Amino acid sequence: MTIQDRTLQNFNILHFQTDLLTWYSHNKRDLPWRSNQDPYTVWVSEIMLQQTKVDTVIPFYYRFLEKFPTVYALASAEEQEVLKAWEGLGYYSRARNLQHAVREVVEQYDGKVPDDPKELEGLKGIGSYTKGAILSIAYNKPEPAVDGNVMRVFSRLLNLEDDIAQPKTKKLFESIIREVISHEDPSSFNQAIMDLGATICTPKSPACMLCPVQEHCAAFELGVQEHLPIKSKAKKNKVMPYVALLLTNEQGEIAIEQRPEDGLLANLWQFPMVPVQDMDLELVEAWFLANYGMKIRLGNKQGNLKHVFSHLTWKIEIFEAECVQNSADRPEVRFVSKEELSTYPFPVSHQKMMQYL
DNA sequence: AATGCGGGGGC
DNA sequence: GCCCCAGCATT
């Protein structure tokens, strides 16, 4: 007898499926990516929805598919165009991995999104969740798609106290879902759990009195639903102080630079940033000369900006500056007009600086 | 298993 | 402030 069999021994699978799917058929959310089963558009939606709320995704989803309606359109686009369409959505490696994977689909799979688990998981940006979502939603295969919703809902249904921050816990839930998923309608089953988690079985103050599967819920029976799921704390982030420069040349053009192709905000553009200790402004001009080969004159302070990422915080002082002498020739640094700025993908933090121009 | 990777919204 | 959100890649 396996662990999940013991876990499920008092769980009425068929009754649960019926209650869940009946509720879903009458209460499912009307979402743009539910209008068809096109594997490409399902794929795009699932990538955008990673760690991102439905309401945030919707306008990006429409704009993205208007610009890149097919795998061929996305495969043949410039990466900068794709990043521009992703601008503001965050986790930008999702966009670059998606395009990389779509190009592989065009070249290796004749433009058809694979319906094979191994082939799907081999594509950049597709992990266990997204693989299961595409297989179940686009191809009606009974594969688990375990995300935060699924772990929360089933932690409560089965009163499981496993730490959902740990990778092995996700595997446990995948084996559980394989036991309980509907083989008649796996697409609706997976999406029903997500809708339930988003609207009823919410992280705080779950609406148990409205829940269609309340009678199946061990946590509700014990009154412990508010204490589940168990999740260990993330470590707190670190503050990084910077001076950002609104740096202009004699033509009134403004300096921007492209970030490295790896790491935070990879390949996006920004105004030059100087790391500072204790906001020691004396060193900014010298640091810039040493690192950019550009003589600048620091001007007036324009404002402050605090930007919080999931793992660090930028604390930025914004200064005007003039380029006095430019003996550098770095391709990632450009002087552009204000009008041209809108053609480059910028992180939100640097979009906020544009008000000072 | 642990860490890096965005940005927004709820409380 | 902290937590969460239709997670994945890398180490």
Side-chain angles (χ1 to χ4, degrees):
Chain A
M1 185 180 251
T2 66
I3 293 170
Q4 60 269 28
D5 288 337
R6 280 199 296 280
T7 303
L8 289 167
Q9 63 182 342
N10 291 317
F11 192 76
N12 188 329
I13 295 173
L14 291 178
H15 189 187
F16 172 78
Q17 290 177 350
T18 301
D19 289 343
L20 178 70
L21 292 173
T22 300
W23 170 80
Y24 182 68
S25 68
H26 293 105
N27 296 280
K28 64 178 161 193
R29 291 176 289 175
D30 183 16
L31 302 173
W33 43 89
R34 287 180 174 171
S35 64
N36 63 65
Q37 288 193 124
D38 176 0
Y40 169 64
T41 60
V42 169
W43 183 7
V44 169
S45 72
E46 291 301 339
I47 299 297
M48 287 188 169
L49 285 161
Q50 289 169 6
Q51 296 292 285
T52 311
K53 290 201 158 92
V54 164
D55 290 342
T56 303
V57 165
I58 289 174
F60 284 90
Y61 176 81
Y62 281 124
R63 284 199 301 270
F64 193 91
L65 285 180
E66 196 170 330
K67 213 165 169 45
F68 312 113
T70 65
V71 289
Y72 301 103
L74 182 56
S76 62
E78 293 288 334
E79 184 188 282
Q80 287 289 299
E81 261 190 286
V82 180
L83 285 174
K84 186 67 188 174
W86 212 269
E87 183 184 57
L89 192 55
Y91 284 151
Y92 298 95
S93 66
R94 291 184 296 177
R96 300 174 62 212
N97 288 339
L98 175 60
Q99 189 188 29
H100 183 96
V102 159
R103 285 176 170 167
E104 190 170 339
V105 166
V106 166
E107 287 164 17
Q108 309 289 330
Y109 301 110
D110 191 31
K112 293 182 178 57
V113 179
D115 63 355
D116 176 77
K118 291 278 184 271
E119 291 179 347
L120 267 183
E121 203 162 19
L123 295 169
K124 272 267 191 305
I126 298 186
S128 62
Y129 165 77
T130 305
K131 172 187 64 173
I134 293 173
L135 288 172
S136 61
I137 297 172
Y139 294 117
N140 300 308
K141 291 178 185 268
E143 292 287 323
V146 174
D147 67 342
N149 284 312
V150 175
M151 290 195 282
R152 182 173 61 257
V153 169
F154 276 88
S155 289
R156 288 171 175 165
L157 284 169
L158 303 174
N159 189 29
L160 295 178
E161 297 182 350
D162 302 69
D163 180 2
I164 66 167
Q166 294 188 344
K168 66 175 182 183
T169 303
K170 185 178 200 173
K171 293 179 190 270
L172 169 64
F173 282 110
E174 284 172 348
S175 65
I176 290 172
I177 296 299
R178 286 191 187 282
E179 303 280 327
V180 302
I181 192 170
S182 163
H183 284 240
E184 285 67 44
D185 193 351
S187 169
S188 293
F189 183 93
N190 280 342
Q191 295 186 82
I193 298 294
M194 296 180 215
D195 275 22
L196 189 67
T199 64
I200 304 279
C201 195
T202 49
K204 278 167 285 189
S205 307
C208 298
M209 303 315 286
L210 300 175
C211 182
V213 292
Q214 182 202 92
E215 69 175 276
H216 303 274
C217 187
F220 178 77
E221 190 174 347
L222 298 167
V224 298
Q225 65 272 18
E226 300 269 8
H227 302 293
L228 292 171
I230 306 294
K231 187 177 184 182
S232 55
K233 310 286 183 201
K235 51 180 268 189
K236 50 187 251 185
N237 70 8
K238 187 183 173 188
V239 177
M240 313 278 286
Y242 287 98
V243 165
L245 299 177
L246 303 176
L247 173 62
T248 51
N249 63 12
E250 288 183 349
Q251 290 78 39
E253 297 168 322
I254 180 144
I256 61 173
E257 63 177 344
Q258 189 172 30
R259 294 179 59 86
E261 63 177 356
D262 297 307
L264 182 65
L265 303 168
N267 280 359
L268 271 70
W269 293 75
Q270 66 179 15
F271 303 109
M273 292 215 299
V274 178
V276 288
Q277 325 274 324
D278 307 320
M279 295 298 175
D280 190 352
L281 298 177
E282 307 294 317
L283 300 173
V284 170
E285 292 180 358
W287 187 94
F288 208 78
L289 180 60
N291 287 273
Y292 286 75
M294 207 182 292
K295 219 171 261 179
I296 66 168
R297 186 180 302 120
L298 203 59
N300 293 325
K301 180 172 171 179
Q302 303 296 305
N304 291 307
L305 191 59
K306 193 177 85 158
H307 192 82
V308 180
F309 299 92
S310 45
H311 61 302
L312 59 88
T313 297
W314 280 354
K315 206 164 162 34
I316 303 172
E317 288 193 294
I318 304 161
F319 280 81
E320 286 182 334
E322 292 176 10
C323 179
V324 178
Q325 183 195 341
N326 184 4
S327 55
D329 188 25
R330 290 173 48 167
E332 72 274 23
V333 181
R334 296 183 186 174
F335 281 91
V336 301
S337 68
K338 283 186 193 176
E339 292 71 35
E340 286 176 273
L341 281 179
S342 65
T343 65
Y344 293 86
F346 281 84
V348 167
S349 51
H350 283 252
Q351 290 178 45
K352 289 176 179 167
M353 291 179 208
M354 294 181 189
Q355 62 176 297
Y356 299 108
L357 290 174

